[in-house]
Amino acid sequence: MFDIYRKVPKDLTQPTYTGAIISICCCLFILFLFLSELTGFITTEVVNELYVDDPDKDSGGKIDVSLNISLPNLHCELVGLDIQDEMGRHEVGHIDNSMKIPLNNGVGCRFEGQFSINKVPGNFHVSTHSATAQPQNPDMTHVIHKLSFGDTLQVQNVHGAFNALGGADRLTSNPLASHDYILKIVPTVYEDKSGKQRYSYQYTVANKEYVAYSHTGRIIPAIWFRYDLSPITVKYTERRQPLYRFITTICAIIGGTFTVAGILDSCIFTASEAWKKIQLGKMH
């Protein structure tokens, strides 16, 4: 009869204490590997890739920006946001979707604003340029609470520089100094398991501090954010291990463990029997 899985009669098998110990260790080892694989199967993996392209072609060539900055020694009526870029945009005193909150009994100001920039090199800066009368000695010491681009990504497995300037403290710097933050913006895409994509931007930053003079010789400091876009896009994709791969791995674990355990048990049993024969031979 054709039978791949032929049975060995029970009277031809011999249980041993060594085999029992190996069997218990084998089952515990299989259980450990099974739980490890099950954890990996349930957990969502986030993989990343790089490519050259504009991922958000439906944005109309715009990037949303969120800025939150405090200037504790500059009145709110003096604080303004100016935007300019290489496409010819030059906006002084941007006020749409922005808010100024007085600090220190009106001595300082907290500026919060949401605005959009074009996907070309340019800058936006916080300054007194839009004030009706320029102050004598404007104090540009500041704290940046938030500067982010695009959608906000709050994903546990992704640790990027989405708010690289958050927490930047320049309160001890020269009050009359201008600050240049040079930003390299990197487009970022996050795709979840359902295929839904969110578009955000990471950025790297370098900064310098200097005293700038106008053509009249007056010091007019500002906080500049000069940006340029990287052509490289970073994409994060959520993936889960396929069911067939999980089943294949479990079968390999069980089969491989029992095979190795069987070989080990056979070697120990053979060595034990040989030792017994040697001992019997010495007795005779």
Side-chain angles (χ1 to χ4, degrees):
M1 179 183 292
F2 178 75
D3 186 0
I4 297 177
Y5 304 102
R6 297 192 177 188
K7 312 302 183 292
V8 179
K10 289 184 179 180
D11 57 348
L12 296 180
T13 61
Q14 179 180 348
T16 62
Y17 288 109
T18 304
I21 294 173
I22 292 177
S23 298
I24 293 172
C25 293
C26 180
C27 292
L28 292 175
F29 185 66
I30 289 175
L31 179 62
F32 170 73
L33 292 181
F34 172 77
L35 292 177
S36 299
E37 286 297 323
L38 182 62
T39 302
F41 175 70
I42 296 173
T43 304
T44 300
E45 179 187 13
V46 177
V47 297
N48 61 76
E49 60 180 311
L50 303 176
Y51 60 92
V52 179
D53 194 10
D54 179 9
D56 191 9
K57 295 182 175 64
D58 298 328
S59 64
K62 302 285 186 180
I63 300 176
D64 294 328
V65 184
S66 179
L67 175 64
N68 189 330
I69 184 171
S70 291
L71 298 94
N73 301 308
L74 195 64
H75 293 280
C76 280
E77 61 267 19
L78 300 175
V79 176
L81 177 69
D82 310 326
I83 307 171
Q84 58 189 56
D85 60 36
E86 292 186 1
M87 291 185 66
R89 180 181 183 183
H90 191 179
E91 186 176 348
V92 179
H94 178 88
I95 58 174
D96 293 339
N97 298 319
S98 62
M99 179 172 55
K100 300 177 185 178
I101 305 171
L103 300 176
N104 303 330
N105 297 320
V107 175
C109 186
R110 179 168 180 156
F111 178 87
E112 299 179 8
Q114 286 80 39
F115 53 96
S116 62
I117 56 176
N118 294 315
K119 291 183 178 180
V120 294
N123 73 79
F124 52 91
H125 51 277
V126 177
S127 67
T128 61
H129 298 166
S130 60
T132 53
Q134 292 297 315
Q136 189 63 33
N137 294 306
D139 187 334
M140 283 294 169
T141 54
H142 61 277
V143 175
I144 300 174
H145 306 289
K146 179 183 179 182
L147 176 60
S148 62
F149 300 86
D151 295 339
T152 301
L153 291 183
Q154 294 181 340
V155 183
Q156 184 178 1
N157 295 330
V158 175
H159 304 284
F162 297 99
N163 185 24
L165 276 174
D169 188 331
R170 300 293 182 268
L171 295 178
T172 59
S173 61
N174 183 352
L176 297 178
S178 290
H179 300 265
D180 260 16
Y181 295 101
I182 296 92
L183 314 177
K184 176 65 74 171
I185 301 175
V186 182
T188 303
V189 183
Y190 188 88
E191 183 177 317
D192 60 22
K193 296 189 295 293
S194 65
K196 181 182 178 181
Q197 293 185 339
R198 286 181 286 171
Y199 303 97
S200 187
Y201 296 84
Q202 303 181 63
Y203 63 92
T204 58
V205 59
N207 68 285
K208 63 179 179 179
E209 180 182 325
Y210 59 94
V211 177
Y213 294 88
S214 68
H215 62 279
T216 60
R218 293 184 59 185
I219 299 176
I220 305 180
I223 304 169
W224 297 82
F225 300 93
R226 306 181 191 274
Y227 60 87
D228 192 7
L229 272 78
S230 169
I232 298 176
T233 295
V234 179
K235 183 178 182 180
Y236 298 98
T237 307
E238 288 184 352
R239 290 181 184 172
R240 179 167 288 178
Q241 183 180 351
L243 179 60
Y244 73 86
R245 185 178 299 174
F246 172 70
I247 296 175
T248 303
T249 305
I250 295 302
C251 291
I253 288 173
I254 296 173
T257 303
F258 276 122
T259 300
V260 173
I263 294 173
L264 181 62
D265 181 57
S266 177
C267 291
I268 294 174
F269 180 76
T270 303
S272 175
E273 291 297 311
W275 176 254
K276 288 179 181 179
K277 290 180 180 179
I278 293 173
Q279 293 297 98
L280 290 173
K282 288 181 179 180
M283 292 176 64
H284 292 289

